[in-house]
């Protein structure tokens, strides 16, 4: 991990008195979400996490609050992801950090519990991995808010700039973002490796990635940041650190039972309407339709 620059905002780097001061000034905690997954031969695996971290850290510096440790595992494989993976990755090993929806959502509730018990009154969740996952996170957050007096705001970065920029996967939008944030983690010349045996091929790189630029990335990230800061500014007005009694495990498990009862409605559990079926012999076929069974996929 590189040393942070500017004001200290990372929970992991704050001393107790620094934490208390920042929380008293702005009782908002940020949770960056992402995962490692291929964005072509040209990009580092952690693009999704890196952009979520940048947005959370910069918003905390501008508006206030504390940035929680990042979550570098996310929902992939299941539901609509399965056919997408067959089309974009094929039978190659994607080397990603995907976990099942039930595992992600159950853990997410315990993350929310940790933040509420630490005294935060508002929780901002920014996911650099999008496409539908954020809808299930919002479903879990809504169930949590019914039982706990805390405000939970969940958005993917493309949702922050909806109507201005269109998100993508490893295209001009995302590759531009990383060109701006971490140019050392982009090598467009590595695209030539697609044709080498054993390389993994295209690895989901979009055709318009050649149109990416640091300037475009800066415009996208600054627009995302402006939108996020406006949301947090409005959210933090009148907020005070929470004095709610500690939430115990039993309460979280009751909330989880409610979320679990809606599993058939999870966005990540089913293919998109009209989406082509996964090929019978594809490695992704077992994940096309998901039902939680002890936290694992079942058909």
């Amino acid at each position: 991990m590189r040393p942070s620059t500017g004001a200290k905002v990372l929970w992991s780097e704050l001393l107790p008195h620094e934490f208390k001061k920042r929380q008293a000034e702005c009782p908002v905690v940020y949770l960056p979400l992402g995962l490692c997954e291929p964005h072509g031969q040209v990009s580092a695996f952690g693009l999704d996490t890196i952009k979520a971290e940048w947005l959370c850290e910069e918003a905390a510096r501008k508006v206030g609050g504390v940035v929680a440790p990042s979550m570098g595992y996310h929902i992939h494989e299941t539901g609509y992801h399965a056919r997408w993976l067959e089309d974009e990755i094929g039978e190659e090993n994607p080397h990603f950090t995907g976990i099942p929806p039930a595992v992600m959502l159950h853990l997410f509730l315990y993350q929310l519990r940790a933040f509420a018990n630490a005294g935060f009154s508002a929780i901002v969740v920014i996911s650099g991995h999008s496409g539908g996952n954020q809808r299930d996170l919002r479903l879990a957050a809504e169930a949590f808010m019914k039982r706990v007096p805390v405000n939970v705001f969940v958005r993917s970065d493309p949702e922050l700039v909806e109507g201005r920029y269109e998100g993508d996967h490893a295209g001009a939008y995302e590759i531009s973002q990383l060109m701006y944030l971490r140019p050392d983690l982009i090598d467009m010349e590595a695209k030539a490796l697609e044709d080498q045996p054993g390389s993994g091929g295209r690895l989901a790189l979009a055709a318009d990635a050649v149109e990416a630029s640091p300037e475009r990335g800066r415009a996208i990230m600054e627009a995302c940041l402006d939108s996020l800061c406006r949301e947090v500014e409005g959210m933090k007005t009148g907020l005070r650190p929470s004095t709610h009694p500690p939430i115990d495990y039993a309460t979280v498990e009751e909330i989880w039972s409610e979320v679990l009862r809606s599993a058939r409605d999870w966005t990540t559990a089913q293919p998109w309407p009209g989406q082509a079926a996964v090929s019978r012999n594809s490695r992704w076929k077992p994940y096309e339709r998901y039902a939680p069974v002890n936290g694992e996929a079942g058909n």
Side-chain angles (χ1 to χ4, degrees):
M1 180 181 292
R2 295 175 300 139
S4 62
T5 57
K8 287 168 62 176
V9 297
L10 300 181
W11 193 335
S12 60
E13 294 185 352
L14 292 169
L15 304 185
H17 70 91
E18 295 171 328
F19 179 95
K20 290 176 183 293
K21 183 175 185 295
R22 288 197 68 85
Q23 188 183 64
E25 292 171 350
C26 180
V28 175
V29 63
Y30 303 81
L31 175 61
L33 299 180
L35 84 163
C36 288
E37 67 168 328
H39 293 82
Q41 301 284 351
V42 305
S43 168
F45 281 102
L47 191 162
D48 293 356
T49 310
I50 290 166
K51 59 180 173 172
E53 289 175 335
W54 186 89
L55 286 170
C56 290
E57 291 176 29
E58 290 302 310
R61 290 190 180 103
K62 286 177 175 288
V63 185
V66 173
V67 182
S70 304
M71 174 70 171
Y73 299 82
H74 216 313
I75 302 169
H76 219 321
E77 301 169 297
T78 59
Y80 63 87
H81 293 104
R83 180 65 205 204
W84 183 89
L85 285 163
E86 182 180 13
D87 292 340
E88 299 296 322
I89 304 296
E91 298 305 299
E92 299 290 340
N93 185 337
H95 304 294
F96 61 29
T97 56
I99 57 177
V103 175
M104 179 75 182
L105 297 176
H106 198 181
L107 174 59
F108 181 58
L109 291 177
Y110 275 97
Q111 290 173 309
L112 299 182
R113 170 188 177 268
F115 302 148
N117 280 353
F120 291 102
S121 299
I123 302 165
V124 174
V125 182
I126 299 299
S127 179
H129 180 52
S130 61
N133 305 278
Q134 66 274 16
R135 298 179 189 177
D136 292 346
L137 292 168
R138 283 196 282 267
L139 184 151
E142 287 164 7
F144 189 84
M145 287 187 286
K146 289 178 185 176
R147 299 289 298 273
V148 181
V150 65
N151 185 11
V152 185
F153 174 84
V154 180
R155 292 292 186 276
S156 65
D157 62 281
E159 289 177 320
L160 293 172
V161 289
E162 194 169 0
R164 295 184 61 186
Y165 296 98
E166 185 174 351
D168 62 24
H169 181 86
Y173 176 93
E174 279 203 312
I175 298 301
S176 291
Q177 288 177 308
L178 197 58
M179 281 182 169
Y180 170 59
L181 297 176
R182 291 290 304 275
D184 56 311
L185 299 182
I186 289 284
D187 179 5
M188 295 304 288
E189 293 183 3
K191 188 176 186 302
L193 297 173
E194 291 178 359
D195 299 326
Q196 291 190 9
S199 69
R202 185 171 58 86
L203 292 177
L205 188 71
D208 68 349
V210 295
E211 300 171 16
S213 70
E215 294 76 21
R216 183 172 187 167
R218 178 176 181 173
I220 292 169
M221 294 308 298
E222 288 184 347
C224 287
L225 181 60
D226 287 346
S227 175
L228 177 57
C229 287
R230 285 194 300 272
E231 292 286 350
V232 179
E233 283 282 11
M235 189 184 304
K236 76 174 190 177
T237 303
L239 277 185
R240 296 290 182 270
S242 175
T243 57
H244 187 273
I247 303 151
D248 58 20
Y249 292 165
T251 300
V252 177
E253 290 304 319
E254 289 170 6
I255 299 170
W256 171 236
S257 294
E258 178 184 338
V259 174
L260 201 53
R261 285 194 293 272
S262 67
R264 288 175 179 252
D265 299 323
W266 294 353
T267 301
T268 53
Q270 306 294 334
W272 293 121
Q275 190 176 27
V278 178
S279 302
R280 178 178 298 179
N281 296 323
S282 170
R283 67 182 291 170
W284 310 112
K285 186 65 174 179
Y287 311 107
E288 186 174 24
R289 298 185 184 279
Y290 174 87
V293 179
N294 295 325
E296 295 184 357
N299 295 319

